[in-house]
Amino acid sequence: MKVLVINCGSSSLKYQLIDSDSEDVLAKGLCERIGIDGRLVYEKAGMDKEITEAPMPTHKEAIQMVLDALVNEKSGAVKSLKEIDAVGHRVVHGGEKFAASAKVDDAMIQALEECSELAPLHNPANLIGIRVCQELMPGVPMVGCFDTAFHQTMPEKAYLYAIPVEYYEDYHIRKYGFHGTSHSFVSKEAISFLGLDPENSKVIVCHLGNGASISAVKNGKCVDTSMGLTPLAGLAMGTRSGDLDPAVVEFLGKKLNLDAEGVLQILNKKSGVYGLSRGVSSDFRDLTSAAENGNHDAKVALEVFEYRVATTVGAYVAAMNGVDAIAFTAGIGEHDGRIRTAVCEYLGYLGVKIDEEKNAKSGDNEVISTPDSGVKVCVIPTNEELAICRDTVAIVNA
Ligand code: ADP
């Protein structure tokens, strides 16, 4: 099957056309600056990247341009749109309604509208992508894959906040967790790559990218994760604060004469390692080189990040009463061996030992712990598009 994977943001759209049999990416790219001016990036194996500037007042023009590029006589990946068998859509928030990917139908669209309040920046854009694809590709089956779905197996004790329970019942305030497609993909890959028993395994996945989260996966099911009602919770991230005393919101608001929204803007965009480093960067490559050149703030920012990752891993060892494997993934998790080592130094009490030669490699699935390590530590590159493609095929063929 040929599956088009669509990840629609508010002013951008990423796409991949995947052959599900070979799992090869036939073409991929993105549309940027939708609603501003418009730019299409198109890549096909063996060809130079094509960049086309063209007006994209709405997502409709953007998706139409993607479809035109895919069937282009010279550079297209298919002869006709009829070759595209299904579309898989990334959807950020599925609330409590979706514990797995599901076929797009009217009921799903209505449910997504209902939980848009929980992800006001993302879900409306995801919905537009679904509607436009339905219009431009009538009759093609579509599947929604949710960032929150994998975490729906968390028990009440993990997902409830200790506030009056009516607020959970009335307003659905609880921990949902995000990056679920990645946590699901990486935990499954880790279990099969390491030869663990899927029904009797304890895996901790550290998804460390610009946004970062950790999950505890027991017997293949998520039992806790570090993000919350929104993706602001948990670890310190590129520009996000992660967890802090909720009283900081009011305290800082008074000091800066800002309302809650104004403070949250700071916690989302100006905090994390970016804020701690006094604006050196949110990019770990820049921070590492600044720290190596003696920048104290950059050094401390990295230490805060490592400390939060390590202490969250420790919490999840307790949540599962043990751990068989720790998997690192996403931009930092896959490429920054120094961070992996720094995190694992805190885990000596578990008998974790890193093989620095293996840890220096990157790019593929890799065990980076020594044979006598108390816990297996590995790097597993994430592939959310492939995960969406696999789910889409499974649901369409069901
Ligand atoms: P997201 O998808 O959340 O935007 P990514 O998973 O692409 O983020 O991760 C982006 C981060 O990965 C960047 O902030 C950068 O610091 C880090 N990163 C990428 N490559 C490297 C590298 N070679 N060494 C260190 N950090 C890297």
Side-chain angles (χ1 to χ4, degrees), residues 74-111:
K74 269 198 231 137
S75 55
V78 286
K79 288 208 173 63
S80 132
L81 287 183
K82 289 200 182 91
E83 287 180 46
I84 300 179
D85 301 293
V87 182
H89 292 272
R90 178 203 180 198
V91 180
V92 168
H93 219 306
E96 289 187 310
K97 295 232 163 73
F98 297 98
S101 301
K103 207 162 189 173
V104 173
D105 56 16
D106 291 345
M108 175 190 284
I109 290 180
Q110 195 189 336

Side-chain angles (χ1 to χ4, degrees), residues 120-143:
L121 296 178
H122 295 101
N123 270 29
N126 302 154
L127 267 167
I128 290 172
I130 291 175
R131 288 205 171 99
V132 170
C133 283
Q134 284 181 322
E135 193 182 329
L136 297 177
M137 308 171 78
V140 177
M142 311 221 173
V143 169

Side-chain angles (χ1 to χ4, degrees), residues 14 179 207-212 238 240 282-286 288 329-333 335-337 382 384:
K14 292 187 198 146
H179 294 139
H207 177 110
L208 309 179
N210 227 338
R240 287 175 235 166
S282 60
D283 191 301
F284 276 59
R285 289 161 286 199
D286 302 337
T288 305
T329 195
I332 301 156
H335 301 293
D336 197 332
T382 191
E384 286 161 287

Side-chain angles (χ1 to χ4, degrees), residues 182-194:
S182 177
H183 286 288
S184 166
F185 179 85
V186 172
S187 58
K188 285 187 183 74
E189 284 285 307
I191 287 168
S192 87
F193 179 60
L194 299 173

Side-chain angles (χ1 to χ4, degrees), residues 5 23 28 32 64 69 75 87 89 101 175 190-191 195 209 222 231 241 270 277 307 334 349 355 362 397:
V5 176
E23 300 200 330
K28 65 175 183 179
E32 294 173 295
Q64 185 65 60
S75 55
V87 182
H89 292 272
S101 301
K175 180 189 276 199
I191 287 168
C222 176
S241 64
K270 304 252 182 252
S277 68
Y307 180 77
E334 289 168 32
Y349 73 100
D355 177 333
S362 62
N397 285 339

